[in-house]
Amino acid sequence: MIHPSTELRFIGTDVGFGVFATAEIPPGTLVWVLDPFDRVFEPEEVDALPLPLRAVVERGSFLDPSGRRIFCWDHGRQVNHSCDPNCLELGVSFEIAARTIRIGEELTCDYGSIGVLLPFECRCGVPQCRGWVEDAAAAGDDPQEPTLSELWALADAVSQPLLPFAAPDPQGAERLADLQRRRRNRRRRERRRERHTFERRGAPVEPVSRRRRSPVDILPASADPSAPPSAGVAP
């Protein structure tokens, strides 16, 4: 599932469509997660498809390390390649924002990190363009790893609207559990800081439910607290 603050736009006949941000997305945000609607094809399943369907799957999917194809059900499959991407692969279950993605900016990833069967000429046009797109693992190149560790450290501090929909693989499940634990711990720390700040400003007021209630506490909203019980206080 692609981040909800995105939309599909037509770029041109040479590129086709692309995915663009409709709101600012901070670094460390999960911009895509593997969810139950995404289809995972075994190699033999792809081979058994009629040629037109096989072409659709091969064009709109990416390869995991075991050779399976992950076919995204939404416009996540329209994310284009860049040699200077603003989204990085985090295993086969997540893509994470590598830097702040501005409103109207196209979301891009490095196809070399998501499995390329055959190298092809790159036309992304960025100054860092490598000229060719090839499988990073086969080339022995993994420049993303230090950056990914830094980005993952930010993930518990930013909004994660895709988190409830994630259905990751086993490795991704470990990452997901780690992120959920860190977010719970962060919320606890924030609540403790808020409570400490409140107590420094003055003694906290004990909730009504935890102190002895006076007759005023149980008066109807329309009742006059100064009136005698016969004026409307329930017996």
Side-chain angles (χ1 to χ4, degrees), residues 88-108:
L88 297 180
E89 179 198 19
L90 198 61
V92 300
S93 300
F94 307 108
E95 289 267 346
I96 192 168
R99 53 182 179 267
T100 300
I101 303 174
R102 307 294 181 186
I103 298 175
E105 182 179 354
E106 184 181 5
L107 277 67
T108 57

